[in-house]
PDB file of all heavy atoms in Angstrom:
ATOM      1  N   ALA A   2      10.612 -23.453  -9.846  1.00  0.00           N
ATOM      2  CA  ALA A   2      10.263 -22.735 -11.064  1.00  0.00           C
ATOM      3  C   ALA A   2       9.013 -21.889 -10.858  1.00  0.00           C
ATOM      4  O   ALA A   2       8.133 -22.233 -10.076  1.00  0.00           O
ATOM      5  CB  ALA A   2      10.045 -23.720 -12.211  1.00  0.00           C
ATOM      6  N   GLN A  18     -12.821 -22.600  -1.889  1.00  0.00           N
ATOM      7  CA  GLN A  18     -12.757 -21.958  -0.583  1.00  0.00           C
ATOM      8  C   GLN A  18     -13.761 -20.822  -0.466  1.00  0.00           C
ATOM      9  O   GLN A  18     -14.054 -20.360   0.628  1.00  0.00           O
ATOM     10  CB  GLN A  18     -11.338 -21.436  -0.332  1.00  0.00           C
ATOM     11  CG  GLN A  18     -10.342 -22.578  -0.216  1.00  0.00           C
ATOM     12  CD  GLN A  18      -8.952 -22.058   0.093  1.00  0.00           C
ATOM     13  OE1 GLN A  18      -8.809 -21.044   0.762  1.00  0.00           O
ATOM     14  NE2 GLN A  18      -7.946 -22.753  -0.365  1.00  0.00           N
ATOM     15  N   ARG A  27      -9.518  -9.828   6.180  1.00  0.00           N
ATOM     16  CA  ARG A  27      -9.970 -10.251   7.516  1.00  0.00           C
ATOM     17  C   ARG A  27     -10.662  -9.090   8.226  1.00  0.00           C
ATOM     18  O   ARG A  27     -10.208  -7.954   8.173  1.00  0.00           O
ATOM     19  CB  ARG A  27      -8.777 -10.726   8.344  1.00  0.00           C
ATOM     20  CG  ARG A  27      -8.063 -11.916   7.710  1.00  0.00           C
ATOM     21  CD  ARG A  27      -8.952 -13.139   7.635  1.00  0.00           C
ATOM     22  NE  ARG A  27      -8.281 -14.222   6.940  1.00  0.00           N
ATOM     23  CZ  ARG A  27      -8.845 -15.397   6.664  1.00  0.00           C
ATOM     24  NH1 ARG A  27     -10.090 -15.619   7.000  1.00  0.00           N
ATOM     25  NH2 ARG A  27      -8.190 -16.333   6.036  1.00  0.00           N
ATOM     26  N   GLY A  30      -9.330  -6.887  12.095  1.00  0.00           N
ATOM     27  CA  GLY A  30      -8.484  -5.721  12.270  1.00  0.00           C
ATOM     28  C   GLY A  30      -7.048  -6.034  12.646  1.00  0.00           C
ATOM     29  O   GLY A  30      -6.243  -5.123  12.843  1.00  0.00           O
ATOM     30  N   LEU A  46       4.872 -18.984  17.326  1.00  0.00           N
ATOM     31  CA  LEU A  46       4.666 -19.322  18.742  1.00  0.00           C
ATOM     32  C   LEU A  46       3.189 -19.495  19.070  1.00  0.00           C
ATOM     33  O   LEU A  46       2.834 -20.186  20.023  1.00  0.00           O
ATOM     34  CB  LEU A  46       5.271 -18.233  19.630  1.00  0.00           C
ATOM     35  CG  LEU A  46       6.794 -18.055  19.575  1.00  0.00           C
ATOM     36  CD1 LEU A  46       7.230 -16.877  20.431  1.00  0.00           C
ATOM     37  CD2 LEU A  46       7.488 -19.335  20.029  1.00  0.00           C
ATOM     38  N   GLY A  52      -4.476 -17.902   7.661  1.00  0.00           N
ATOM     39  CA  GLY A  52      -4.989 -16.577   7.373  1.00  0.00           C
ATOM     40  C   GLY A  52      -3.940 -15.500   7.248  1.00  0.00           C
ATOM     41  O   GLY A  52      -4.267 -14.360   6.921  1.00  0.00           O
ATOM     42  N   ALA A  66       9.283 -25.814  11.241  1.00  0.00           N
ATOM     43  CA  ALA A  66       8.167 -24.977  11.677  1.00  0.00           C
ATOM     44  C   ALA A  66       7.010 -25.063  10.692  1.00  0.00           C
ATOM     45  O   ALA A  66       5.840 -25.165  11.086  1.00  0.00           O
ATOM     46  CB  ALA A  66       8.626 -23.528  11.829  1.00  0.00           C
ATOM     47  N   THR A  75      -3.242 -19.664   4.265  1.00  0.00           N
ATOM     48  CA  THR A  75      -2.087 -18.778   4.316  1.00  0.00           C
ATOM     49  C   THR A  75      -1.676 -18.442   2.884  1.00  0.00           C
ATOM     50  O   THR A  75      -1.837 -19.249   1.979  1.00  0.00           O
ATOM     51  CB  THR A  75      -0.919 -19.449   5.057  1.00  0.00           C
ATOM     52  OG1 THR A  75      -1.375 -19.930   6.323  1.00  0.00           O
ATOM     53  CG2 THR A  75       0.221 -18.475   5.281  1.00  0.00           C
ATOM     54  N   ILE A  90       2.589 -27.244   2.633  1.00  0.00           N
ATOM     55  CA  ILE A  90       1.706 -26.100   2.789  1.00  0.00           C
ATOM     56  C   ILE A  90       0.679 -26.057   1.650  1.00  0.00           C
ATOM     57  O   ILE A  90      -0.450 -25.610   1.845  1.00  0.00           O
ATOM     58  CB  ILE A  90       2.492 -24.776   2.882  1.00  0.00           C
ATOM     59  CG1 ILE A  90       3.239 -24.467   1.587  1.00  0.00           C
ATOM     60  CG2 ILE A  90       3.441 -24.796   4.069  1.00  0.00           C
ATOM     61  CD1 ILE A  90       3.917 -23.114   1.607  1.00  0.00           C
ATOM     62  N   TYR A 114      12.559   0.177   0.420  1.00  0.00           N
ATOM     63  CA  TYR A 114      13.999   0.089   0.241  1.00  0.00           C
ATOM     64  C   TYR A 114      14.723   1.005   1.224  1.00  0.00           C
ATOM     65  O   TYR A 114      14.205   2.044   1.627  1.00  0.00           O
ATOM     66  CB  TYR A 114      14.384   0.512  -1.177  1.00  0.00           C
ATOM     67  CG  TYR A 114      13.874  -0.389  -2.269  1.00  0.00           C
ATOM     68  CD1 TYR A 114      12.736  -0.053  -2.996  1.00  0.00           C
ATOM     69  CD2 TYR A 114      14.537  -1.566  -2.593  1.00  0.00           C
ATOM     70  CE1 TYR A 114      12.262  -0.868  -4.016  1.00  0.00           C
ATOM     71  CE2 TYR A 114      14.079  -2.390  -3.616  1.00  0.00           C
ATOM     72  CZ  TYR A 114      12.935  -2.037  -4.319  1.00  0.00           C
ATOM     73  OH  TYR A 114      12.476  -2.853  -5.322  1.00  0.00           O
ATOM     74  N   ALA A 136      17.839  -2.631 -11.945  1.00  0.00           N
ATOM     75  CA  ALA A 136      16.380  -2.601 -12.090  1.00  0.00           C
ATOM     76  C   ALA A 136      15.975  -1.648 -13.212  1.00  0.00           C
ATOM     77  O   ALA A 136      15.046  -1.932 -13.986  1.00  0.00           O
ATOM     78  CB  ALA A 136      15.731  -2.185 -10.773  1.00  0.00           C
ATOM     79  N   GLN A 141      14.061  -0.777 -18.779  1.00  0.00           N
ATOM     80  CA  GLN A 141      14.268  -0.287 -20.136  1.00  0.00           C
ATOM     81  C   GLN A 141      14.101  -1.401 -21.167  1.00  0.00           C
ATOM     82  O   GLN A 141      13.576  -1.178 -22.260  1.00  0.00           O
ATOM     83  CB  GLN A 141      15.672   0.325 -20.263  1.00  0.00           C
ATOM     84  CG  GLN A 141      15.849   1.638 -19.518  1.00  0.00           C
ATOM     85  CD  GLN A 141      14.988   2.743 -20.124  1.00  0.00           C
ATOM     86  OE1 GLN A 141      13.884   3.010 -19.648  1.00  0.00           O
ATOM     87  NE2 GLN A 141      15.475   3.370 -21.168  1.00  0.00           N
ATOM     88  N   SER A 156       3.609  -4.369 -11.830  1.00  0.00           N
ATOM     89  CA  SER A 156       2.408  -3.991 -11.085  1.00  0.00           C
ATOM     90  C   SER A 156       2.398  -4.582  -9.682  1.00  0.00           C
ATOM     91  O   SER A 156       2.038  -3.901  -8.712  1.00  0.00           O
ATOM     92  CB  SER A 156       1.155  -4.439 -11.848  1.00  0.00           C
ATOM     93  OG  SER A 156       1.053  -3.779 -13.088  1.00  0.00           O
ATOM     94  N   LEU A 201      11.312  21.543   9.114  1.00  0.00           N
ATOM     95  CA  LEU A 201      10.060  20.793   9.105  1.00  0.00           C
ATOM     96  C   LEU A 201      10.162  19.534   9.958  1.00  0.00           C
ATOM     97  O   LEU A 201       9.250  19.204  10.729  1.00  0.00           O
ATOM     98  CB  LEU A 201       9.692  20.425   7.663  1.00  0.00           C
ATOM     99  CG  LEU A 201       9.356  21.599   6.732  1.00  0.00           C
ATOM    100  CD1 LEU A 201       9.240  21.108   5.292  1.00  0.00           C
ATOM    101  CD2 LEU A 201       8.064  22.282   7.165  1.00  0.00           C
ATOM    102  N   PHE A 259      26.986   9.001   0.956  1.00  0.00           N
ATOM    103  CA  PHE A 259      27.253   7.948   1.942  1.00  0.00           C
ATOM    104  C   PHE A 259      28.390   8.342   2.880  1.00  0.00           C
ATOM    105  O   PHE A 259      28.450   7.877   4.020  1.00  0.00           O
ATOM    106  CB  PHE A 259      27.540   6.623   1.243  1.00  0.00           C
ATOM    107  CG  PHE A 259      26.299   5.907   0.813  1.00  0.00           C
ATOM    108  CD1 PHE A 259      25.881   5.922  -0.509  1.00  0.00           C
ATOM    109  CD2 PHE A 259      25.515   5.221   1.737  1.00  0.00           C
ATOM    110  CE1 PHE A 259      24.725   5.270  -0.910  1.00  0.00           C
ATOM    111  CE2 PHE A 259      24.353   4.564   1.354  1.00  0.00           C
ATOM    112  CZ  PHE A 259      23.956   4.590   0.030  1.00  0.00           C
ATOM    113  N   ASP A 269      17.439  11.481  10.788  1.00  0.00           N
ATOM    114  CA  ASP A 269      15.994  11.296  10.753  1.00  0.00           C
ATOM    115  C   ASP A 269      15.595  10.496   9.516  1.00  0.00           C
ATOM    116  O   ASP A 269      16.153  10.668   8.432  1.00  0.00           O
ATOM    117  CB  ASP A 269      15.307  12.662  10.721  1.00  0.00           C
ATOM    118  CG  ASP A 269      13.792  12.558  10.806  1.00  0.00           C
ATOM    119  OD1 ASP A 269      13.281  12.424  11.928  1.00  0.00           O
ATOM    120  OD2 ASP A 269      13.136  12.610   9.754  1.00  0.00           O
ATOM    121  N   HIS A 281      17.189   7.761 -15.201  1.00  0.00           N
ATOM    122  CA  HIS A 281      18.451   8.478 -15.374  1.00  0.00           C
ATOM    123  C   HIS A 281      18.722   9.392 -14.190  1.00  0.00           C
ATOM    124  O   HIS A 281      19.847   9.849 -14.011  1.00  0.00           O
ATOM    125  CB  HIS A 281      18.407   9.314 -16.662  1.00  0.00           C
ATOM    126  CG  HIS A 281      17.308  10.328 -16.687  1.00  0.00           C
ATOM    127  ND1 HIS A 281      15.977   9.965 -16.851  1.00  0.00           N
ATOM    128  CD2 HIS A 281      17.326  11.678 -16.534  1.00  0.00           C
ATOM    129  CE1 HIS A 281      15.235  11.076 -16.824  1.00  0.00           C
ATOM    130  NE2 HIS A 281      16.023  12.115 -16.636  1.00  0.00           N
ATOM    131  N   TYR A 294       9.096   3.235  -7.494  1.00  0.00           N
ATOM    132  CA  TYR A 294       8.053   2.667  -8.345  1.00  0.00           C
ATOM    133  C   TYR A 294       8.535   2.534  -9.789  1.00  0.00           C
ATOM    134  O   TYR A 294       9.408   3.273 -10.245  1.00  0.00           O
ATOM    135  CB  TYR A 294       6.825   3.581  -8.351  1.00  0.00           C
ATOM    136  CG  TYR A 294       6.003   3.577  -7.094  1.00  0.00           C
ATOM    137  CD1 TYR A 294       6.315   4.423  -6.033  1.00  0.00           C
ATOM    138  CD2 TYR A 294       4.898   2.741  -6.959  1.00  0.00           C
ATOM    139  CE1 TYR A 294       5.548   4.437  -4.877  1.00  0.00           C
ATOM    140  CE2 TYR A 294       4.119   2.753  -5.809  1.00  0.00           C
ATOM    141  CZ  TYR A 294       4.453   3.601  -4.767  1.00  0.00           C
ATOM    142  OH  TYR A 294       3.688   3.613  -3.629  1.00  0.00           O
ATOM    143  N   ASN A 297       5.196   5.800 -13.036  1.00  0.00           N
ATOM    144  CA  ASN A 297       5.306   7.155 -12.511  1.00  0.00           C
ATOM    145  C   ASN A 297       3.959   7.720 -12.089  1.00  0.00           C
ATOM    146  O   ASN A 297       3.874   8.474 -11.114  1.00  0.00           O
ATOM    147  CB  ASN A 297       5.946   8.076 -13.550  1.00  0.00           C
ATOM    148  CG  ASN A 297       6.217   9.459 -12.993  1.00  0.00           C
ATOM    149  OD1 ASN A 297       6.814   9.602 -11.932  1.00  0.00           O
ATOM    150  ND2 ASN A 297       5.747  10.478 -13.697  1.00  0.00           N
ATOM    151  N   GLY A 320       8.127  18.824 -14.256  1.00  0.00           N
ATOM    152  CA  GLY A 320       7.682  17.848 -13.269  1.00  0.00           C
ATOM    153  C   GLY A 320       7.050  18.499 -12.050  1.00  0.00           C
ATOM    154  O   GLY A 320       6.049  18.012 -11.521  1.00  0.00           O
ATOM    155  N   GLU A 324       3.167  18.445 -10.567  1.00  0.00           N
ATOM    156  CA  GLU A 324       2.835  18.120  -9.180  1.00  0.00           C
ATOM    157  C   GLU A 324       1.940  19.191  -8.556  1.00  0.00           C
ATOM    158  O   GLU A 324       1.061  18.860  -7.746  1.00  0.00           O
ATOM    159  CB  GLU A 324       4.124  17.942  -8.384  1.00  0.00           C
ATOM    160  CG  GLU A 324       4.867  16.661  -8.741  1.00  0.00           C
ATOM    161  CD  GLU A 324       6.305  16.630  -8.273  1.00  0.00           C
ATOM    162  OE1 GLU A 324       6.856  17.707  -7.941  1.00  0.00           O
ATOM    163  OE2 GLU A 324       6.891  15.533  -8.247  1.00  0.00           O
ATOM    164  N   LEU A 390      -1.547  28.132   7.191  1.00  0.00           N
ATOM    165  CA  LEU A 390      -2.575  27.501   6.372  1.00  0.00           C
ATOM    166  C   LEU A 390      -3.187  26.289   7.050  1.00  0.00           C
ATOM    167  O   LEU A 390      -4.332  25.916   6.783  1.00  0.00           O
ATOM    168  CB  LEU A 390      -2.002  27.090   5.024  1.00  0.00           C
ATOM    169  CG  LEU A 390      -1.482  28.221   4.111  1.00  0.00           C
ATOM    170  CD1 LEU A 390      -0.971  27.644   2.804  1.00  0.00           C
ATOM    171  CD2 LEU A 390      -2.568  29.257   3.839  1.00  0.00           C
TER     172      LEU A 390
END
Side-chain angles (χ1 to χ4, degrees):
Q18 294 182 32
R27 299 296 176 184
L46 295 176
T75 308
I90 65 175
Y114 295 99
Q141 290 294 96
S156 296
L201 294 171
F259 279 102
D269 185 82
H281 59 287
Y294 287 87
N297 186 51
E324 288 164 343
L390 297 181

